Amino acid sequence: MAGSQKSSKKAPSKQKRAADADPTRAAERMNGADAVVRSLEELGVEVVFGLPGGAVLPLYDALFAAQKLRHVLVRHEQGAGHAATGYAQSSGKVGVCLATSGPGATNLVTPLADAYLDSVPIVAITGQVGSPLIGTDAFQEADIRGITMPITKHNLMVTNPQEIPQAIATAVHIATTGRPGPVLVDIPKDVQAEEIEFTWPPALDLPGYKPNVKPHNRQITQAAKLISRSERPVLYIGGGVIKSEAHAELMEFVEATGVPVVTTLMALGAFPESHPLHMGMPGMHGSVPAVGALQESDLLIAIGTRFDDRVTGNTETFAPGAKTIHADIDPAEVGKIRDVDVPIVGDAKRVLSGLTDAFVAKGMDVPSISEWVERLDDLKKRFPRGYEPQSDGKLAPQFVIETLSREVGPEAIYVAGVGQHQMWAAQFLDFENPRTWINSGGLGTMGYAVPAALGAKAGRPDKEVWAIDGDGCFQMTNQEITTAALEGFPIKIALINNGNLGMVRQWQTLFYAGHYSHTKLGGEVYVPDFVKLSEALGAEAIRVTSEDEVVPAIQRAREINDRPVVVEFIVGEDAQVWPMIEAGSNNSDIQYALNIRPFFDMEESAAESPAAIHERGK
């Protein structure tokens, strides 16, 4: 078994498990492909998303007889990868996708990069040309290990069929432990066909892989002391809190200390937005209270986040007066972007539990921050979320999403594509629970929403799943609606159609003198006609053009549960995402609605209606 992780001759690690741990289970004779399927079943995998091809025909023959493993036939391998990601994010389990060699495998590159940047546990199993043909430029040969090495947590090629159970178990273990991420297993066609003696469980011997999940007590104590002495602390919460299932521990810490919270794009739902200490989402399109909380703080308590550039803007002017506590399970992230006063390496669940214990069980003084909370509450009152009505009489997309949130509620799972609709969804949906918000954060992958929503529904069939997509994103992966229709996943899709690549158009409006270079997708005529297209793909389709049609359309979509539903909302092309911070600039220069003054200089004393914001910005 060749792998990107170096092997070692050292003594077996604590993770090693004897292959004969259960002496009552005799070895079984089967081929390598059957061993792949059996290994996945033994590991508790229930669903695999894939598309067959020549180099995985033995695997598909094994799937034909699988008893416990459901295969979902996608229409494009990219859809398989995003579906696996959506499955993992909604369920908390590992997502698995399957593709053939060459173009099948390379079509997984984007989903793998997406999962890598968002730390999502997926395992991609790819077929490879037969061992004798490797390196000969054979038909549909591609060095998928070499191609994906920079965008996978680990990858390997199995050259010995006897090692298939170990390879699959290793892949799942690495993908789901420590900082989660994608793992690729490449298996030549002849290796899949060879017979082996299958035994379970296999030995896992990974001496170089020992994620540190337990934070050091001394660092926890130092962090608690800093928090106790702070006057303007803020919890800067990232997606790692959701991945570690630490939402309850986060709530306990906040209730014990009274420290206000901001949640990044990847952490929405980790802390209830209805809670009075939640300040919102920070960053380029974050709320004024969240951005203000970070900029004016004297202590950042960063948990499970990586100081992404979309949050920090210019790092030299980001939270300039704050000391920093940074806790992350990946030591490479701690101190990578910002100098840290107290570094903590460990699982977010344990970190938050340890910090709470320092204040509750050990009696450390909680910070005295009533004036700080009052300041942030004032920002919440002065700068509520709002939007400008559309001057062309078309629907405001924010109104659509706000109405959807009210009608459907916070128990549903919402999946977004990338662009303006993603930011509007992050701003105007109400997130109260973890694993109810799924989107492509780090890579920003257009075309993500439809297949990821399909995967989310497969992972949580008990949940109502809504994809919020734009007309640009939708045209990249809408073929997976057919997958959803034929495989029985009645997802709902709110299609925000402004006839443009909206976010690019917004930047062209603001920074390129309105030079709309190749961003217009449609016109006054519907090309494509998304209603007809969606119906052809197997979905029910509804077009909405006025405010009074919005609620009935949403209600109708919710009533249909035997097939997917696409609700197309025709919105204005000039709607923009506010607030906004220009990329790489000072976060203190946040622009609110159409007012370009820095928020620190604003003197509004009361909340303004969207109409008032619009009039003031003219």
Side-chain angles (χ1 to χ4, degrees):
M1 178 172 62
S4 61
Q5 193 163 331
K6 294 180 180 179
S7 60
S8 174
K9 297 290 186 180
K10 294 179 181 179
S13 69
K14 293 180 181 179
Q15 296 164 324
K16 184 175 177 69
R17 294 182 290 158
D20 59 353
D22 184 358
T24 64
R25 296 183 63 176
E28 298 179 58
R29 196 77 181 163
M30 63 181 67
N31 67 20
D34 288 324
V36 172
V37 172
R38 179 68 70 83
S39 298
L40 291 172
E41 291 177 338
E42 292 284 356
L43 291 162
V45 175
E46 298 173 341
V47 182
V48 58
F49 305 90
L51 188 69
V56 284
L57 282 178
L59 269 172
Y60 273 83
D61 193 57
L63 284 168
F64 186 78
Q67 299 296 313
K68 302 177 183 177
L69 193 61
R70 178 183 180 182
H71 179 272
V72 174
L73 176 62
V74 298
R75 268 56 195 169
H76 191 285
E77 290 90 355
Q78 182 181 352
H82 292 321
T85 298
Y87 178 93
Q89 289 185 297
S90 70
S91 68
K93 303 174 184 178
V94 66
V96 180
C97 53
L98 177 60
T100 191
S101 65
T106 59
N107 281 339
L108 290 176
V109 169
T110 296
L112 288 170
D114 186 274
Y116 184 71
L117 286 175
D118 286 345
S119 303
V120 181
I122 68 172
V123 171
I125 301 171
T126 54
Q128 186 54 272
V129 299
S131 300
L133 296 175
I134 292 176
T136 68
D137 295 331
F139 177 68
Q140 292 193 332
E141 180 188 2
D143 179 11
I144 195 61
R145 284 196 58 230
I147 292 168
T148 62
M149 195 170 290
I151 55 169
T152 51
K153 185 178 177 183
H154 180 64
N155 68 27
L156 53 96
M157 175 186 284
V158 183
T159 56
N160 179 354
Q162 195 62 50
E163 294 179 341
I164 285 176
Q166 182 190 46
I168 300 299
T170 296
V172 171
H173 176 73
I174 292 176
T176 57
T177 55
R179 180 180 182 172
V183 177
L184 181 136
V185 183
D186 197 31
I187 311 176
K189 186 174 182 179
D190 58 314
V191 175
Q192 300 170 40
E194 290 187 42
E195 288 202 346
I196 68 166
E197 295 288 331
F198 180 88
T199 58
W200 192 269
L204 293 187
D205 190 9
L206 300 168
Y209 180 71
K210 297 179 181 178
N212 182 26
V213 299
K214 184 178 180 181
H216 198 287
N217 287 334
R218 183 171 60 190
Q219 301 303 95
I220 291 290
T221 300
Q222 289 180 355
K225 288 179 179 178
L226 262 186
I227 295 168
S228 181
R229 295 194 296 264
S230 65
E231 296 179 353
R232 300 185 306 279
V234 60
L235 277 156
Y236 167 22
I237 298 301
V241 170
I242 290 179
K243 290 173 175 62
S244 67
E245 306 289 351
H247 48 282
E249 287 73 15
L250 173 59
M251 178 63 76
E252 290 171 3
F253 177 78
V254 173
E255 291 180 342
T257 62
V259 175
V261 179
V262 302
T263 50
T264 67
L265 178 68
M266 297 305 296
L268 297 177
F271 191 76
E273 293 194 357
S274 60
H275 196 285
L277 287 173
H278 188 262
M279 298 298 131
M281 179 183 74
M284 177 177 284
H285 294 295
S287 71
V288 171
V291 172
L294 295 176
Q295 287 300 96
E296 296 186 3
S297 68
D298 67 355
L299 178 63
L300 298 179
I301 309 165
I303 311 288
T305 187
R306 57 187 178 88
F307 288 84
D308 177 72
D309 64 285
R310 282 298 194 261
V311 171
T312 66
N314 184 343
T315 55
E316 293 183 0
T317 58
F318 174 69
K323 292 185 176 180
T324 303
I325 298 165
H326 190 185
D328 201 284
I329 200 165
D330 185 354
E333 291 295 344
V334 179
K336 184 177 79 175
I337 305 297
R338 183 184 176 96
D339 290 337
V340 177
D341 296 279
V342 181
I344 305 175
V345 177
D347 179 72
K349 195 178 188 76
R350 297 195 183 197
V351 170
L352 286 163
S353 179
L355 289 173
T356 301
D357 186 64
F359 288 98
V360 176
K362 298 177 182 177
M364 190 170 290
D365 292 335
V366 298
S368 179
I369 56 173
S370 58
E371 291 185 5
W372 171 234
V373 174
E374 288 177 5
R375 160 65 177 160
L376 297 181
D377 282 342
D378 180 59
L379 287 179
K380 289 172 74 172
K381 292 174 183 176
R382 290 166 58 200
F383 303 105
R385 67 185 185 188
Y387 54 91
E388 317 94 48
Q390 291 300 288
S391 59
D392 58 8
K394 291 184 178 179
L395 285 168
Q398 303 95 327
F399 171 81
V400 170
I401 294 171
E402 195 170 45
T403 304
L404 178 69
S405 182
R406 184 177 63 249
E407 290 295 314
V408 177
E411 297 301 319
I413 293 175
Y414 298 94
V415 185
V418 169
Q420 287 181 314
H421 61 279
Q422 175 192 27
M423 293 298 102
W424 288 320
Q427 293 173 339
F428 289 92
L429 293 172
D430 294 316
F431 299 102
E432 298 292 309
N433 306 296
R435 299 195 184 279
T436 55
W437 168 245
I438 297 171
N439 77 130
S440 173
L443 194 63
T445 305
M446 291 182 68
Y448 176 86
V450 173
L454 183 158
K457 186 66 175 178
R460 292 297 306 273
D462 58 314
K463 289 286 188 178
E464 185 174 347
V465 177
W466 279 84
I468 299 172
D469 217 1
D471 49 320
C473 289
F474 186 74
Q475 291 184 72
M476 294 189 174
T477 55
N478 58 56
Q479 69 273 3
E480 300 308 335
I481 291 175
T482 298
T483 304
L486 295 178
E487 295 282 349
F489 298 118
I491 60 174
K492 327 292 184 186
I493 300 167
L495 177 56
I496 309 299
N497 184 2
N498 64 1
N500 284 265
L501 297 171
M503 188 61 84
V504 182
R505 180 184 173 90
Q506 176 166 337
W507 281 50
Q508 289 172 336
T509 299
L510 298 175
F511 309 121
Y512 293 91
H515 297 160
Y516 300 120
S517 178
H518 304 288
T519 47
K520 195 168 187 65
L521 294 172
E524 292 305 316
V525 295
Y526 298 118
V527 180
D529 186 321
F530 289 118
V531 169
K532 292 180 179 177
L533 176 62
S534 300
E535 289 173 344
L537 292 170
E540 179 83 5
I542 306 167
R543 178 172 290 137
V544 177
T545 59
S546 63
E547 286 191 1
D548 59 356
E549 296 173 337
V550 172
V551 171
I554 293 171
Q555 292 175 342
R556 172 59 182 152
R558 300 188 72 195
E559 293 170 355
I560 300 170
N561 288 301
D562 61 346
R563 59 196 180 282
V565 184
V566 176
V567 186
E568 179 191 20
F569 298 95
I570 307 299
V571 304
E573 65 179 7
D574 289 318
Q576 295 189 346
V577 183
W578 299 100
M580 181 176 179
I581 302 166
E582 186 176 349
S585 67
N586 188 334
N587 277 6
S588 296
D589 294 333
I590 186 172
Q591 300 173 25
Y592 182 68
L594 295 179
N595 194 316
I596 61 173
R597 289 177 292 163
F599 78 81
F600 291 113
D601 297 335
M602 292 182 180
E603 299 178 353
E604 288 79 10
S605 59
E608 297 175 279
S609 69
I613 295 169
H614 177 62
E615 289 301 316
R616 178 168 53 80
K618 282 184 178 179

